[in-house]
Amino acid sequence: MPIPSAPVPGRTDPAVLRNFCIIAHIDHGKSTLADRMLQLTGVVDERTARAQYLDRMDIERERGITIKSQAVRLPWTVGAGNEQGVAPGTYVLNMIDTPGHVDFTYEVSRSLAACEAAVLLVDSAQGIEAQTLANLYLALGADLHVIPVLNKIDLPSADPEKYAAELAHIIGCDPAEVLRVSAKTGEGVPAVLNEIVKQTPAPVGDADAPPRALIFDSVYDTYRGVVTYVRVMDGKLSHRDRIKMMSTGAVHEMLEVGVISPEPVKAGDLGVGEVGYLITGVKDVRQSRVGDTVTSQHHGATTPLGGYQHPNPMVFAGLYPIDGDDYPDLREALDKLQLNDAALTYEPETSDALGFGFRCGFLGLLHMEIVRERLEREFDLDLISTAPNVVYHVWLEGDGPGHPGHEVTNPSEFPVGKVDEVREPIVRATILSPADYIGTIMELCQDKRGSLEGMDYLSPDRVELRYTLPLAEIVFDFFDQLKSRTKGYASLDYETTGEQTADLVKVDILLHGDTVDAFSAIVHKDEAYSYGVMLAGKLKELIPRQQFEVPIQAAVGSRVIARETVRALRKDVLAKCYGGDITRKRKLLEKQKEGKKRMKMVGRVEVPQEAFIAALSTGATGEKSGKK
């Protein structure tokens, strides 16, 4: 029986639908492969085509990384007598391009729930990387069919045979089944599309059941409000239907329903297995939660779909507006950004030095950097961010058995008193690297208080190292150091595995005897002295000289561990004395001394904003990413 042709956007026969995503490491060519697919299927013509078409944000295009998943609908016609033996006809492919960086694994996990298959894309000059391996396990855990593809076969350094054998070993398939393509030139891409049609199972659902659709992403549009991306599992969603969000019970009318191909196209309805968007005109960002189930208000479904496990923030930092009047704008901006980025958490906090701001939780340092940059660009805000911290649990001596401990996300929350125990989060890190760099990686991990869990050779010249490391050591500059020590060849993936007891202390910075909360940090006891010396020296350069001497001290508890002094400005009070009695000069100097002493007692040190910005950007912008 011939496969029916796919009609124009609207409800499509599930038999011709294929939902798949592309998972790969940064720089292995996901977005370039997506570009070729857009061109081959004709949804983007030569005039409108541009490199990395689906990377919509300026920041994605500048950095050459994908931050947000993008869904697009592609029509693909398979001719008779094709090599793969696919039934001829026109099929509809829903492709989701996903991020590759470890900080955006949450975006990947949401995309997987909307698919039946995953294209595993690997650079044929570099082989599989640690983050790709992690995303592969996510796909296998979600019970998706995996289609292995080797990219960049046109490169002179490509070794497809070697890496096809490596992929086959990991997935458990035959090396001949690994597809070989060049996303840049387009070689082999039609065969990949045919294999997607052949290998991806058609979506399964009950067309006559009450509608159920899973929200896998959402964006905020200034003019149309919240745009919600859904994958329909059962039933159908039609234009002007009244829909209900099952977690909140909120009811809305659907003002528009459609598909993305690759720009939004209106449709009459969305049926079983389709991926599309809904617009309800809702302006409140909290009413369209990612992971929620959409159903109809009347005769709706009673059991929601399984949502997503909410990600726990790993890294915390304070974000403060440089101009205090921007505080309400920052709150609104974070509200809107949280809709696009469900992994972002925030709560208000105040600082004596920086005023009103928010304590924000991020999945990693790159995530923090991207959020800050998006706030500054998209909402025109000037921000200061404090040094990043992880979550600690502290027990004091008087807490007694059964006490849950004091949760510390900010050094200023560190409890006062005799500390009995401090626990810090630990991660299981997987590092993939050429075998030549084993020694230097082990040295780095030992410096960062890591312990080796195991080591396996994936091939004669590639090795996988597994370490347990404190998260606090990873989020600061571990990634940078790993890349520089291995000439960029090593890759890192990590997941949290619990907590461990550690010998940690809080280092305070005192200016003229007053603690400046913005400069406090929780560090390992062995690192406290070097941190104190480094920051005190930095502040000495940054704080302008006052009329009185300003001591800068680093202290652990009541014990000062480092000190620098900003010398006082001194007026030449003897300028008018041309010789004469020495007692006259002494009297003037004594008077100046008394004035300085009085000023020192009442004077306050004003720290300019530039000094805060320079001192808090302690050269740790951590995880940089390469180009695609």
Side-chain angles (χ1 to χ4, degrees), residues 394-602:
V394 182
W395 282 263
L396 300 177
E397 281 195 346
D399 285 341
H403 193 281
H406 308 269
E407 188 173 274
V408 177
T409 60
N410 184 348
S412 62
E413 296 170 0
F414 203 84
V416 179
K418 199 156 175 63
V419 174
D420 182 37
E421 184 184 20
V422 183
R423 287 191 194 159
E424 64 176 346
I426 55 167
V427 297
R428 185 186 292 116
T430 305
I431 301 167
L432 262 64
S433 165
D436 304 351
Y437 301 108
I438 292 175
T440 188
I441 292 170
M442 285 182 162
E443 185 186 347
L444 172 64
C445 291
Q446 280 164 4
D447 289 348
K448 298 290 184 183
R449 301 188 281 129
S451 59
L452 183 65
E453 296 293 315
M455 186 170 78
D456 288 316
Y457 279 83
L458 298 177
S459 65
D461 55 355
R462 270 167 62 83
V463 69
E464 177 188 85
L465 294 132
R466 292 180 300 283
Y467 267 90
T468 300
L469 286 152
L471 178 62
E473 298 284 358
I474 278 193
V475 298
F476 214 55
D477 62 350
F478 183 83
F479 193 78
D480 273 359
Q481 289 201 35
L482 178 70
K483 283 291 184 189
S484 61
R485 291 191 188 197
T486 60
K487 299 180 182 172
Y489 283 114
S491 64
L492 167 75
D493 178 61
Y494 59 85
E495 59 175 353
T496 48
T497 56
E499 292 184 323
Q500 70 178 12
T501 304
D503 198 359
L504 302 170
V505 292
K506 178 189 173 191
V507 178
D508 287 315
I509 299 294
L510 290 80
L511 289 183
H512 195 42
D514 295 328
T515 303
V516 183
D517 57 353
F519 294 137
S520 298
I522 297 167
V523 296
H524 194 265
K525 198 172 183 179
D526 297 344
E527 301 290 324
Y529 174 71
S530 57
Y531 176 81
V533 168
M534 180 272 295
L535 204 53
K538 201 165 191 179
L539 288 172
K540 184 187 177 184
E541 303 296 320
L542 296 167
I543 292 174
R545 290 170 70 184
Q546 317 282 320
Q547 290 288 335
F548 52 93
E549 193 177 81
V550 178
I552 302 168
Q553 297 166 306
V556 174
S558 58
R559 185 166 59 90
V560 174
I561 57 171
R563 172 179 170 136
E564 293 284 354
T565 306
V566 179
R567 295 281 165 217
L569 287 168
R570 186 162 176 247
K571 184 182 175 186
D572 187 1
V573 292
L574 304 182
K576 58 190 175 185
C577 299
Y578 300 103
D581 189 359
I582 189 68
T583 55
R584 169 76 178 141
K585 292 182 180 178
R586 260 195 209 128
K587 187 179 172 188
L588 285 168
L589 289 170
E590 285 298 320
K591 192 176 175 187
Q592 184 185 41
K593 206 170 174 184
E594 286 296 317
K596 294 268 184 204
K597 194 173 176 184
R598 196 165 55 249
M599 195 183 285
K600 194 167 185 179
M601 287 165 67
V602 298

Side-chain angles (χ1 to χ4, degrees), residues 44-305:
V44 174
D45 57 31
E46 292 298 325
R47 190 166 56 87
T48 54
R50 64 170 193 262
Q52 281 82 48
Y53 190 92
L54 294 180
D55 289 346
R56 305 291 170 91
M57 290 189 279
D58 290 342
I59 191 168
E60 289 182 309
R61 305 187 65 75
E62 282 171 25
R63 287 170 176 256
I65 59 173
T66 302
I67 295 165
K68 289 291 296 172
S69 300
Q70 295 288 349
V72 63
R73 180 185 176 109
L74 311 169
W76 179 242
T77 303
V78 178
N82 58 82
E83 290 177 16
Q84 282 85 358
V86 185
T90 301
Y91 295 83
V92 174
L93 314 180
N94 286 313
M95 176 189 66
I96 300 176
D97 181 24
T98 61
H101 197 280
V102 64
D103 281 11
F104 304 112
T105 303
Y106 180 59
E107 287 277 335
V108 179
S109 69
R110 286 163 24 186
S111 305
L112 296 177
C115 303
E116 276 80 31
V119 171
L120 177 67
L121 192 67
V122 173
D123 187 331
S124 59
Q126 293 180 25
I128 198 160
E129 306 270 9
Q131 288 149 354
T132 322
L133 210 52
N135 289 341
L136 169 63
Y137 294 144
L138 275 177
L140 293 172
D143 205 22
L144 298 194
H145 180 78
V146 176
I147 302 167
V149 178
L150 278 175
N151 190 20
K152 304 190 185 182
I153 56 168
D154 57 313
L155 290 182
S157 56
D159 192 349
E161 299 308 319
K162 173 184 167 185
Y163 293 119
E166 190 176 287
L167 264 179
H169 170 68
I170 292 166
I171 297 171
C173 66
D174 190 270
E177 293 171 23
V178 179
L179 302 171
R180 293 157 173 79
V181 304
S182 168
K184 189 176 175 183
T185 63
E187 182 188 345
V189 179
V192 172
L193 288 166
N194 285 346
E195 283 297 333
I196 289 166
V197 170
K198 181 181 177 183
Q199 296 187 35
T200 306
V204 177
D206 187 348
D208 301 319
R212 289 196 306 170
L214 181 69
I215 300 177
F216 68 88
D217 204 359
S218 45
V219 293
Y220 186 84
D221 186 289
T222 314
Y223 305 103
R224 302 194 292 177
V226 179
V227 180
T228 306
Y229 295 105
V230 295
R231 153 74 195 264
V232 180
M233 300 296 184
D234 295 318
K236 67 168 182 172
L237 294 172
S238 303
H239 180 56
R240 291 293 177 190
D241 275 359
R242 291 191 69 78
I243 56 167
K244 183 170 87 170
M245 305 293 180
M246 291 189 77
S247 72
T248 59
V251 175
H252 312 290
E253 183 182 1
M254 279 199 294
L255 304 179
E256 189 179 316
V257 59
V259 297
I260 296 160
S261 183
E263 304 303 326
V265 179
K266 285 185 188 178
D269 53 29
L270 292 175
V272 170
E274 293 206 77
V275 174
Y277 69 90
L278 316 172
I279 297 175
T280 57
V282 173
K283 298 288 187 200
D284 183 1
V285 295
R286 285 175 289 273
Q287 289 192 15
S288 188
R289 290 187 186 157
V290 168
D292 198 356
T293 304
V294 179
T295 187
S296 59
Q297 181 187 5
H298 306 294
H299 315 296
T302 51
T303 52
L305 297 162

Side-chain angles (χ1 to χ4, degrees), residues 15-46:
V16 300
L17 280 174
R18 300 290 185 270
N19 298 325
F20 72 98
C21 62
I22 306 175
I23 54 176
H25 190 73
I26 300 160
D27 199 27
H28 281 209
K30 286 184 305 300
S31 298
T32 310
L33 180 63
D35 290 347
R36 290 296 82 73
M37 289 180 172
L38 291 172
Q39 287 175 339
L40 272 171
T41 53
V43 295
V44 174
D45 57 31
E46 292 298 325

